[in-house]
Amino acid sequence: MAAVAISKLKRTKLIADPKPVLGGTYLGVVVTTGATPGGAGAPVTTAEDTVSFLDVGHLAPLQNPDGLQEFASIIGSDSDPVFSPRHDMLIEPLLPGNAMDSRLVVVDRSGGWDQLSDPFQTLQRKVAIDLTRVIFTNIDEAAPGQVRFTCTFAEGGDTLGYFDSKLFIVEKEKGADEALSYQVISGPKAIDAQSLVVAIYVQALEEDDIFNPDDGSYSPLVAMDIPFGKGGKVANRPGSVKTAESGGLFAIEVEYELSVTYM
């Protein structure tokens, strides 16, 4: 706001039609501005060029001696420095399901200004993960045996779910696959900064006969690609996790579908 001269005594009605656009991880505002030919308290009837500023904070803004509201700490901000009677602003990313406050300020060419502050709450997040298929990407073809595996799902430091497969008898060439049917759901709920990431970890074991050693195979903890910001919803987006080959003898790939909604 330093690039625009604000008159301390010229607060006037400029904000005509603010339209918030709220999501789980963003706040957008479309605002039109105008003049009040009828004087103070009259409705805005004439389009007026302004510049605009939008801020978001955790606590309600405080009013300074000049009447302008200010946040002690700002989470995010956006501005439109081009003089126009219409502004479209967006602040992202924000945490889902959290209570916050917004402050909108517009300033005209003469230094007159108007402001609007409102509390709001972002939408809560719901995550659904569906296991769909396991692929035996590499097996010990000299001694195929029984395979089982586990999938652990985590959201931040919390465990969301745990899948323990049945025993699969693998007597085929590598590349064989089996359908899976398992779903884990988180939410809808508020999310803090420590719980943004949802991850999956896979452990697998091929149990051979008494003449051959068992083969273990593990994946790293893999973070899922959860989008943030406007347009962040996804439905049944495919993904997969691969375990590392153990001595080149055994590995699997677990396929899943990820859905993220905000409500």
Side-chain angles (χ1 to χ4, degrees), residues 83-224:
F83 278 98
S84 170
R86 184 184 186 278
H87 304 282
D88 190 346
M89 293 171 290
L90 178 68
I91 295 178
E92 60 181 355
L94 300 173
L95 291 172
N98 282 249
M100 305 176 195
D101 273 84
S102 66
R103 181 200 68 157
L104 170 67
V105 178
V106 299
V107 185
D108 66 19
R109 294 183 188 273
S110 67
W113 55 272
D114 196 6
Q115 66 185 358
L116 182 66
S117 64
D118 280 303
F120 69 96
Q121 182 166 321
T122 51
L123 304 181
Q124 295 183 329
R125 186 178 78 179
K126 179 180 179 180
V127 174
I129 306 159
D130 290 272
L131 297 184
T132 57
R133 189 169 67 136
V134 58
I135 306 170
F136 304 101
T137 55
N138 202 24
I139 61 175
D140 185 357
E141 296 183 17
Q146 300 182 118
V147 174
R148 71 184 309 152
F149 65 94
T150 61
C151 298
T152 303
F153 302 89
E155 186 175 54
D158 298 328
T159 299
L160 289 181
Y162 181 80
F163 174 74
D164 191 349
S165 78
K166 66 178 183 180
L167 281 173
F168 294 98
I169 308 300
V170 182
E171 295 180 349
K172 308 174 185 178
E173 296 181 354
K174 60 184 180 181
D177 65 282
E178 295 281 351
L180 301 175
S181 179
Y182 177 79
Q183 183 181 67
V184 59
I185 294 177
S186 171
K189 64 181 181 180
I191 299 296
D192 58 26
Q194 288 70 43
S195 301
L196 278 173
V197 176
V198 176
I200 180 173
Y201 170 66
V202 178
Q203 291 181 285
L205 180 68
E206 183 182 34
E207 301 172 352
D208 293 322
D209 56 37
I210 60 174
F211 302 104
N212 295 279
D214 294 343
D215 295 313
S217 186
Y218 314 91
S219 78
L221 185 64
V222 178
M224 296 184 174

